[in-house]
Amino acid sequence: MKIVVIGGTGLIGSKTVAILRQGGHEVVAASPQSGVNTITGEGLKEVMAGTQVVIDLANSPSFEDEAVMEFFETSGRKLLAAEVAAGVGHHVALSIVAIDRTDNGYFRAKVAQERLIVASLIPYTIIRATQFLEFLGGIAASSADGNIVRLPPCLFQPIAADDVAAIVAEVAAAAPRNGIIEIAGPERAPFNEIIARYLKALGDPREVVCDPEARYWGGRVEERSLVPLGEARLGRIGFDEWFRRSQARA
Ligand SMILES: NC(=O)c1ccc[n+]([C@@H]2O[C@H](COP(=O)([O-])OP(=O)(O)OC[C@H]3O[C@@H](n4cnc5c(N)ncnc54)[C@H](OP(=O)(O)O)[C@@H]3O)[C@@H](O)[C@H]2O)c1
């Protein structure tokens, strides 16, 4: 099968490309560097020729509210139009658990991306994942106030990028579901406990506190604002195994 991975050089994209190639598929790792740009439209028509499946794993270079909305709307429109023109049979996109019940600028942009997919009439599967374990350092940095890391009192269930890529590859090789599936890590715990565990494992002396006034990317969150409410497929890699692998790779 010819599969185009948009954002094929990114964290999830590069892992997904490797798994699909091992599975014997013809895979294009598409990104601006390889001449495929979903914002300018460059290379889209050419790369879609003979493509059965497109996996959208692109991400906005800026996470500022307006920039991220502009990115996912423009990218989604141009990509889906090229897929319609080429007769692509399955569009797979990676989205985020709870984007439609938890408010922040990035989540609003992902809602816009999902709406374009559903309206496009291309057979699709949207995979909503919880936050990646690889994102823990970024969360700690963005929540730091000097030596204190302030986090809201909510549950967290992060998933390893290796698990995400394995599930994305499996979904892409299967029939479209025309719906959403949710995936999450195998361990659910209070947000502050997971970040404290991460900082402790790194030997980072910053103190983590649970603060009801703390925001998540500028938005208010409640106990279950970031975790799946219904059935979710769970990854296999827990925190300890993920940390061991990430240190071995470093
Ligand atoms: N972070 C999380 O916890 C989380 C959770 C659930 C879902 N997600 C979603 O997962 C997806 C993948 O995230 P990631 O962390 O793997 O992303 P990433 O590592 O930041 O990679 C982004 C990819 O997008 C490509 N890209 C950027 N602008 C592009 C453009 N104009 N045209 C084509 N490709 C472009 C980049 O190419 P270059 O390398 O050439 O710049 C890169 O390959 C995102 O849609 C994100 O919303 C994230």
Side-chain angles (χ1 to χ4, degrees):
M1 213 157 39
K2 181 178 172 188
I3 303 175
V4 170
V5 181
I6 302 290
T9 54
L11 173 66
I12 305 299
S14 55
K15 291 175 186 290
T16 305
V17 165
I19 295 167
L20 288 167
R21 282 190 180 145
Q22 263 183 358
H25 298 287
E26 177 193 350
V27 186
V28 180
S31 77
Q33 278 171 24
S34 73
V36 181
N37 190 320
T38 55
I39 297 300
T40 63
E42 181 198 355
L44 279 178
K45 187 177 171 200
E46 295 78 4
V47 82
M48 289 306 157
T51 297
Q52 281 114 320
V53 179
V54 171
I55 309 176
D56 186 4
L57 300 173
N59 207 357
S60 172
S62 164
F63 286 11
E64 185 273 321
D65 285 5
E66 274 183 34
V68 77
M69 180 63 84
E70 173 75 20
F71 179 88
F72 281 112
E73 285 195 331
T74 306
S75 176
R77 280 205 185 92
K78 293 212 168 147
L79 179 58
L80 291 162
E83 290 179 40
V84 169
V88 167
H90 188 185
H91 179 94
V92 177
L94 186 57
S95 190
I96 308 177
V97 165
I99 51 168
D100 49 357
R101 56 184 166 85
T102 303
D103 187 51
N104 66 55
Y106 191 87
F107 282 16
R108 285 194 290 276
K110 295 296 284 185
V111 168
Q113 179 192 22
E114 285 193 1
R115 285 195 179 133
L116 288 169
I117 294 166
V118 175
S120 75
L121 303 179
I122 298 174
Y124 69 93
T125 307
I126 292 170
I127 302 165
R128 286 187 179 176
T130 52
Q131 288 64 38
F132 308 150
L133 279 158
E134 285 73 5
F135 205 37
L136 295 184
I139 291 171
S142 71
S143 309
D145 176 8
N147 277 333
I148 308 277
V149 176
R150 295 181 194 284
L151 293 164
C154 65
L155 293 167
F156 207 52
Q157 197 171 344
I159 183 167
D162 283 333
D163 275 335
V164 176
I167 296 170
V168 169
E170 186 188 308
V171 165
R177 297 184 186 220
N178 293 313
I180 296 172
I181 63 165
E182 295 202 328
I183 66 173
E187 296 162 341
R188 180 182 287 194
F191 206 169
N192 57 311
E193 281 183 26
I194 293 182
I195 299 291
R197 198 170 161 193
Y198 172 69
L199 294 180
K200 188 174 171 207
L202 280 178
D204 184 322
R206 283 178 293 177
E207 185 192 349
V208 179
V209 299
C210 182
D211 178 353
E213 292 306 313
R215 306 279 176 114
Y216 180 74
W217 296 113
R220 280 206 174 274
V221 285
E222 292 165 3
E223 188 190 13
R224 292 159 71 83
S225 291
L226 296 175
V227 292
L229 295 180
E231 193 189 329
R233 177 161 167 190
L234 301 185
R236 291 177 298 115
I237 304 166
F239 176 86
D240 289 338
E241 171 63 11
W242 169 78
F243 190 77
R244 193 190 59 70
R245 288 189 193 193
S246 66
Q247 295 302 295
R249 280 175 185 151

